[in-house]
């Protein structure tokens, strides 16, 4: 992703060059030079429609008409980036002193299309499809320190299409602001948007922008809210997707969280999260796509669980390995309560004929070891229990290693 970030920064710096040259060269000519340089740097075609208008008051800057950046040659989605217009403002005093201080960037109704082809090519890697471009760390302007008081997006849309996996999702209605007061210091992003019909807000910050841009792991905060659900992460994270820190999540509004994930909200019974799900603990996310939870505290309705878990994705299916410890575990609702019959026992009505759908077991493998001080299943109550659930290639096995019941 650093290719696209550096390339966009190169475009911004070229726009700053246009501002600096406003009194010397006609704006349209400067825009033509900027477009030619961008095309050479990235191997893509930048198109600016309409007039390029320099502004002097109240801020020194440049305003453009509609812009578009061409997509990879194999794409059929249209331009990779398009917007109804850009507005870029710079600090004149800083510019005269030789520093690039961008005071504002605004994109009006932008649309960004990110794609992965059926062959695994990614359109955000500039240089694919025979258009190599000339972007490198030594390219003038690329990697040059800069600051940004405020960047704003209104009416934005981001589309991600993975043609290899057959997945596609869209984030729309994006209203976002970003600030990079110091190139080597902290940076912040605040965003509100809609995905799969569910609105959400996101606030994220990194402690060292340059180090983060260079692929290093830096101090990071992230807060996500959707409906009544909230997730908060504080720790260290990197641009490649790795992270380690403390996670706090209140997932009581599973409908909102499921909608963001493009899934139907699960119909959980009481005792397994019907009224509320809270998770806290130390999490680690690796570049290999594995997720690890240590010292986890999970509350499902009134049931409190201590959890250590590992989720790996390297095999044919994701695999979950977890160790779960509980005190008193109330799962009476799972078995339908206390049973029927005049004497309080289960009333025999014959074997049920309903079809049991277990297709979900094909999606993952799992080994979950559960230890509980006592276990209430409604129709039967157990004392200290140790149970192991193993799901291997759609075959679920329950192993009762220790079960105390009926004083025996």
């Amino acid at each position: 992703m650093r290719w696209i970030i550096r390339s966009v920064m190169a475009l911004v710096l070229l726009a700053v060059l246009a501002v600096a040259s406003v009194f010397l060269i006609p704006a349209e000519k400067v825009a033509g030079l900027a477009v030619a340089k961008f095309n050479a740097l990235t191997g893509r075609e930048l198109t600016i429609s309409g007039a390029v208008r320099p502004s002097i008051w109240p801020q020194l800057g440049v305003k453009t008409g509609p812009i578009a950046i061409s997509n990879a040659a194999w794409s059929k989605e249209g331009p990779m980036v398009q917007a109804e217009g850009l507005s870029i403002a710079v600090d004149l005093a800083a510019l005269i002193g030789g520093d690039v201080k961008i005071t504002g960037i605004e994109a009006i109704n932008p649309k960004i299309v990110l794609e992965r082809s059926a062959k695994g090519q990614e359109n955000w890697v500039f240089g694919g499809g025979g258009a190599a471009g000339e972007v490198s760390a030594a390219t003038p302007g690329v990697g040059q320190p800069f600051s940004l008081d405020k960047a704003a997006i209104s009416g934005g849309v981001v589309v991600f299409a993975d043609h290899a996996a057959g997945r596609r999702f869209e984030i729309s209605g994006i209203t976002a602001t970003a600030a990079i007061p110091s190139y080597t210091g902290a940076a912040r992003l605040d965003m509100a948007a809609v995905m799969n019909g569910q609105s959400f807000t996101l606030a994220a910050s990194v402690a060292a922008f340059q180090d983060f841009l260079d692929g290093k792991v830096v101090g990071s905060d992230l807060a996500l809210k959707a409906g009544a659900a909230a997730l908060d992460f504080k720790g260290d994270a990197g641009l490649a997707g790795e992270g380690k820190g403390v996670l706090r999540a209140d997932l009581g509004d599973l409908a909102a969280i499921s909608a963001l994930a493009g899934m139907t909200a699960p119909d959980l019974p009481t005792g397994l999260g019907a009224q509320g799900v809270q998770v806290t603990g130390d999490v680690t996310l690796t570049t290999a796509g594995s997720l690890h939870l240590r010292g986890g505290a999970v509350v499902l309705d009134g049931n409190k669980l201590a959890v250590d878990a590992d989720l790996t994705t390297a095999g044919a299916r994701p695999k979950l390995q977890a160790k779960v410890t509980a005190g008193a575990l109330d799962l009476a609702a799972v078995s339908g309560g206390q049973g029927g019959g005049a004497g309080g026992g289960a009333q025999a009505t014959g074997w049920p004929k309903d079809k049991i759908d277990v297709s979900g077991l094909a999606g993952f493998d799992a080994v979950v070891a559960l230890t509980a001080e006592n276990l209430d299943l409604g129709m039967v109550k157990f004392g200290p229990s140790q149970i192991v659930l193993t799901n291997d290639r759609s075959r679920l096995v329950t192993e009762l290693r220790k079960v105390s019941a009926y004083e025996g």
Side-chain angles (χ1 to χ4, degrees):
M1 292 295 288
R2 286 179 307 200
W3 277 80
I4 187 171
I5 293 174
R6 288 180 172 176
S7 298
V8 171
M9 290 303 107
L11 174 60
V12 171
L13 293 175
L14 288 171
V16 173
L17 174 62
V19 174
S21 306
V22 68
F23 299 107
L24 304 177
I25 308 174
E28 296 292 345
K29 185 174 182 179
V30 173
L33 294 173
V35 166
K37 188 60 177 177
F38 178 85
N39 295 349
L41 287 172
T42 65
R44 300 290 178 86
E45 182 179 353
L46 168 64
T47 303
I48 301 179
S49 306
V52 178
R53 303 181 302 278
S55 62
I56 302 174
W57 182 263
Q59 290 180 311
L60 182 66
V62 166
K63 294 182 179 180
T64 77
I67 70 152
I69 298 174
S70 65
N71 213 326
W74 46 263
S75 173
K76 297 180 181 179
E77 295 282 343
M80 177 182 176
V81 179
Q82 54 186 322
E84 293 183 8
L86 289 179
S87 178
I88 303 172
V90 298
D91 187 306
L92 177 59
L95 195 62
I96 293 174
D99 295 328
V100 179
K101 183 174 178 58
I102 306 169
T103 57
I105 300 176
E106 182 178 4
I108 302 172
N109 295 333
K111 180 180 180 181
I112 301 173
V113 178
L114 303 176
E115 292 181 85
R116 181 176 290 115
S117 74
K119 297 181 179 180
Q121 299 166 293
E122 296 165 330
N123 74 332
W124 59 83
V125 178
F126 287 1
E134 304 169 5
V135 176
S136 71
T139 300
V142 177
Q144 177 180 336
F146 65 92
S147 62
L148 173 61
D149 287 350
K150 181 180 179 181
I153 291 176
S154 58
V157 175
V158 174
V159 176
F160 178 78
D162 189 337
H163 302 292
R167 293 196 303 262
R168 182 186 182 92
F169 66 83
E170 178 178 310
I171 304 175
S172 60
I174 299 174
T175 301
T177 59
I180 310 170
S182 169
Y183 186 70
T184 58
R188 182 174 178 84
L189 168 69
D190 292 280
M191 181 177 78
V194 176
M195 186 167 71
N196 298 326
Q198 175 63 51
S199 61
F200 69 94
T201 62
L202 174 69
S205 65
V206 295
F209 177 72
Q210 182 181 15
D211 288 343
F212 183 76
L213 195 61
D214 289 339
K216 298 179 182 179
V217 175
V218 302
S220 305
D221 289 351
L222 184 146
L224 173 69
K225 293 183 179 180
L231 181 149
D232 180 82
F233 171 84
K234 295 183 183 297
D236 300 312
L239 192 61
E242 70 270 44
K244 184 176 182 179
V246 178
L247 174 72
R248 292 182 175 85
D250 185 344
L251 308 179
D253 192 348
L254 286 177
I257 295 298
S258 299
L260 287 182
M263 302 167 56
T264 301
D267 185 15
L268 300 177
T270 300
L272 290 180
Q275 285 81 42
V277 178
Q278 292 85 40
V279 181
T280 60
D282 297 327
V283 296
T284 301
L285 177 64
T286 70
T287 54
S290 64
L291 180 64
H292 310 271
L293 172 67
R294 292 293 180 270
V298 179
V299 180
L300 304 175
D301 300 329
N303 291 319
K304 297 180 180 180
L305 312 173
V307 181
D308 288 334
D310 301 286
L311 177 65
T312 57
T313 58
R317 293 166 302 281
K319 183 172 183 179
L320 173 68
Q321 292 182 291
K323 179 181 178 182
V324 182
T325 304
L329 193 55
D330 183 359
L331 298 178
V334 176
S335 62
Q338 300 299 324
Q347 185 174 3
T349 58
W351 289 105
K353 298 181 180 180
D354 298 336
K355 183 178 180 180
I356 301 175
D357 184 4
V358 295
S359 59
L361 297 178
F364 68 100
D365 292 341
V367 179
V368 179
L370 169 65
T371 301
E373 291 182 5
N374 57 76
L375 180 60
D376 184 355
L377 293 178
M379 291 182 292
V380 62
K381 296 182 180 180
F382 297 118
S385 304
Q386 294 179 358
I387 302 172
V388 177
L389 301 174
T390 303
N391 181 37
D392 182 21
R393 292 169 291 181
S394 302
R395 181 174 180 266
L396 180 62
V397 176
T398 301
E399 180 184 354
L400 306 179
R401 292 189 173 177
K402 178 182 179 180
V403 174
S404 300
Y406 308 106
E407 300 181 356

